[in-house]
Amino acid sequence: MKAKNRDQSLSDSRELDGSYDQLTDSVEDDFELSTVCHRPESMDKLQEQTKFTKKELQVLYRGFKNECPSGVVNEESFKTIYSQFFPQGDSSMYAHFLFEAFDTNKNGSVSFEDFVFGLSIILRGTINDRLNWAFNLYDLNKDGCITKEEMLDIMKSIYDMMGKYTYPTMQDDAPREHVESFFQKMDRNKDGVVTIEEFIESCKKDENIMQSMQLFDNVI
C-alpha cells in the first residue's frame, strides 16, 4: 500500500512539472524521495480548485520546486526569496505579513497548494475575492476588523520595502499620514476600526484601487 502511495505521489509531482523521463526513472525515485517532504495534490484537483490552466500550474510548480526543493517553504526562506525582488529596501516585515496570509493552515510553512490558492485569488479572483484576501492581509490578529495600528504596521513595512532610494524625500511620518487618509475614507461609522464591509465598499469606490487590481488580470 505504501509503495502504491509513493508511486502515485511521484506521478502527481511529475505531472505538475512535466519532468517525467522513463530513462532516469529509477534514479529520480531515490533522489526525489530523499529530498522532498511534501507532494502537491494532483493536477486535476488543482485545476478544479484554482483558476489556472494545466500549463500555468506546471510553470508555477517548476519555479516553486526550484526555490523550494522540499516542497514547502518556511518563513525565513520565504523572506530570503522575497528580498531578491526588493534589494533597495528591507522587505522582511512585509514578507512576514505576506507569509502569514499564504499560510492558511497556520503550521509555519507554505506548500505549493497554499501558494497557488493565494495566487489564484490575487491574479484571477473576482474583485470581492481579491478584496477579501487583501482585508485578511491587513487584519493582522484575524479578529474581523482592521485597526489603525494594524494598517500602520502594514504601511510601514511597505515603505521599508520600497526603500529610501525609491522615495528619497519621503518623510518619516508619511505612513501614518497615509493611514489617517485611508481611515477617513473607510471608517464610515467612526468607531475606530474598519470592517470587511466598510473596506470592500470603500475600495470599490476608489478608482485608483480598482485600476491597480486590473493590472494583475493578465499576469502569468
Side-chain angles (χ1 to χ4, degrees):
M1 184 67 179
K2 287 184 178 179
K4 185 175 180 181
N5 289 338
R6 168 191 165 191
D7 291 343
Q8 182 61 49
S9 183
L10 283 167
S11 174
D12 290 345
S13 177
R14 287 178 184 144
E15 181 187 17
L16 274 168
D17 67 10
S19 65
Y20 181 72
D21 183 348
Q22 282 187 313
L23 293 176
T24 59
D25 187 33
S26 60
V27 176
E28 285 188 4
D29 278 10
D30 293 336
F31 175 73
E32 288 194 32
L33 285 173
S34 67
T35 59
V36 178
C37 62
H38 176 82
R39 292 285 174 196
E41 296 185 31
S42 70
M43 176 69 71
D44 290 340
K45 185 173 283 189
L46 285 176
Q47 272 189 275
E48 288 175 8
Q49 296 173 333
T50 69
K51 297 180 185 293
F52 292 126
T53 66
K54 180 177 180 179
K55 188 68 177 176
E56 288 171 335
L57 285 167
Q58 287 179 333
V59 170
L60 288 169
Y61 184 64
R62 285 194 199 103
F64 188 89
K65 200 170 79 165
N66 185 54
E67 294 287 352
C68 317
S70 67
V72 295
V73 58
N74 61 27
E75 184 172 336
E76 288 309 307
S77 297
F78 187 85
K79 286 179 179 179
T80 300
I81 295 167
Y82 204 76
S83 68
Q84 297 170 22
F85 299 100
F86 299 94
Q88 75 278 16
D90 179 4
S91 63
S92 59
M93 187 52 68
Y94 187 75
H96 163 72
F97 296 140
L98 205 56
F99 182 87
E100 292 280 299
F102 275 109
D103 180 19
T104 53
N105 295 321
K106 304 304 172 194
N107 59 3
S109 65
V110 171
S111 66
F112 180 65
E113 291 94 329
D114 295 330
F115 176 66
V116 292
F117 291 161
L119 207 60
S120 177
I121 292 172
I122 297 168
L123 300 181
R124 303 286 166 80
T126 64
I127 291 297
N128 273 10
D129 288 340
R130 297 182 197 188
L131 290 175
N132 269 289
W133 196 92
F135 181 88
N136 183 61
L137 174 67
Y138 280 91
D139 181 15
L140 299 181
N141 66 358
K142 311 307 177 199
D143 66 349
C145 60
I146 301 170
T147 64
K148 283 186 179 180
E149 289 71 24
E150 287 175 322
M151 188 171 282
L152 183 60
D153 284 344
I154 294 283
M155 283 299 168
K156 282 181 177 177
S157 73
I158 292 173
Y159 279 98
D160 288 344
M161 178 174 66
M162 300 311 292
K164 290 290 185 182
Y165 292 108
T166 307
Y167 300 107
T169 60
M170 187 75 68
Q171 299 297 316
D172 290 339
D173 59 353
R176 185 171 294 280
E177 290 178 0
H178 204 145
V179 169
E180 290 295 338
S181 175
F182 263 109
F183 257 75
Q184 282 184 8
K185 294 178 184 177
M186 294 187 176
D187 185 13
R188 302 280 179 176
N189 61 359
K190 307 303 178 188
D191 63 350
V193 297
V194 173
T195 64
I196 182 68
E197 292 81 13
E198 289 174 325
F199 183 80
I200 290 177
E201 183 183 348
S202 299
C203 288
K204 283 184 174 180
K205 290 180 178 178
D206 191 310
E207 287 186 20
N208 291 328
I209 293 176
M210 290 298 97
Q211 286 174 2
S212 67
M213 288 195 161
Q214 289 167 5
L215 292 175
F216 293 116
D217 286 349
N218 297 311
V219 174
I220 297 183

